[in-house]
Amino acid sequence: MRERLSIYSHISDQQDGTSADGTAGIGAEFENFAFGFVNAKCNAEDTNAARKQIVAERTGLSWKLTADTTADPGKIYAEYILNGANIKVGSGDGARAGKAWADALITWKPWDPPSTVDIANSNCNPWTINTPRTQKPEKLPWFPQITTPMPLEALYSLMKENQANPVPDQRNSLDGYNVVYSLVVVKQEYFQSNKNGIDQSKVTDDVLDFVLWSYPTPKPPVKS
């Protein structure tokens, strides 16, 4: 049976959250499934060890190109990371760092011959880039994941908006695209019985969001 890789959370090991001086930072990951690296001789353990390692020494001010492992041994995707410990919310540094790595990628175009790269500390170097040579770097689709501290009230507001399912042109950009039917949004009326002495009128949005994330309740599927 083919070896499978363990899939770990991307949250705990990312450099996002507060910046060096304690103010709010904003971190980002940009993933791409059309820009990757392969080595058929690399086993699962060595492939997984490459995760988050720097690719081809490609780094800049607050950004780096890293390896993102998949469920397949010998197969890795490219992932650009913006360092949220250095980038403050509202500073504009995130946009500048994003433009810097994009410009560097366009100039580099690594899938031109010889189309190989080394990944830091990897036992499987070199890795072959599996992107078609006709691919234009500026046309690659990227899937962003943005992480930043948010008040509980803000998170709760986004979840309420998601459940309301507004039309696309009225949707907040942080709200995503599809209604999350599998989650029950805890509302003030859940506390009508004054259970455990909790006064319904004093249950604010930050409390409701804390309850929701602390005790998630799956919504049963609707039978057709």
Side-chain angles (χ1 to χ4, degrees):
M1 180 179 293
R2 186 177 62 175
E3 293 176 276
R4 307 298 290 181
L5 297 176
S6 297
I7 305 300
Y8 299 103
S9 167
H10 286 260
I11 298 175
S12 61
D13 59 353
Q14 290 311 298
Q15 296 173 316
D16 45 35
T18 56
S19 58
D21 63 1
T23 55
I26 181 167
E29 299 177 10
F30 295 89
E31 298 178 345
N32 188 298
F33 305 127
F35 177 19
F37 320 103
V38 293
N39 186 327
K41 297 181 180 180
C42 199
N43 61 34
E45 182 179 359
D46 286 337
T47 302
N48 203 40
R51 182 174 180 268
K52 301 305 177 188
Q53 297 294 319
I54 294 175
V55 175
E57 300 182 337
R58 306 297 292 184
T59 62
L61 182 61
S62 298
W63 67 267
K64 58 186 178 182
L65 173 60
T66 68
D68 190 21
T69 51
T70 71
D72 299 310
K75 186 176 182 179
I76 285 175
Y77 291 129
E79 180 178 69
Y80 279 94
I81 293 180
L82 301 188
N83 188 343
N86 294 341
I87 301 172
K88 295 183 180 182
V89 171
S91 67
D93 290 342
R96 285 184 282 273
K99 183 179 186 302
W101 73 251
D103 289 344
L105 175 62
I106 292 171
T107 302
W108 180 32
K109 197 185 177 189
W111 43 89
D112 281 344
S115 304
T116 60
V117 295
D118 285 350
I119 297 176
N121 305 309
S122 174
N123 293 328
C124 300
N125 289 328
W127 292 78
T128 300
I129 300 173
N130 63 356
T131 305
R133 293 179 182 177
T134 56
Q135 174 67 56
K136 294 182 178 180
E138 62 271 26
K139 297 296 184 180
L140 279 173
W142 294 93
F143 302 92
Q145 299 178 30
I146 311 300
T147 307
T148 188
M150 294 181 67
L152 289 174
E153 297 96 327
L155 293 174
Y156 188 71
S157 174
L158 291 174
M159 296 192 72
K160 287 195 297 184
E161 179 179 315
N162 182 273
Q163 291 291 306
N165 196 24
V167 295
D169 61 352
Q170 297 178 8
R171 189 182 297 276
N172 188 301
S173 60
L174 295 177
D175 185 28
Y177 297 95
N178 299 313
V179 176
V180 183
Y181 289 108
S182 59
L183 273 181
V184 175
V185 177
V186 179
K187 301 178 180 179
Q188 220 178 30
E189 50 264 34
Y190 280 55
F191 296 87
Q192 288 179 351
S193 63
N194 199 27
K195 188 175 181 179
N196 297 323
I198 300 176
D199 187 341
Q200 178 185 356
S201 65
K202 296 180 180 179
V203 179
T204 53
D205 282 359
D206 58 337
V207 174
L208 291 171
D209 190 74
F210 176 79
V211 171
L212 178 61
W213 288 107
S214 300
Y215 308 96
T217 304
K219 186 175 181 179
V222 177
K223 295 183 179 180
S224 58

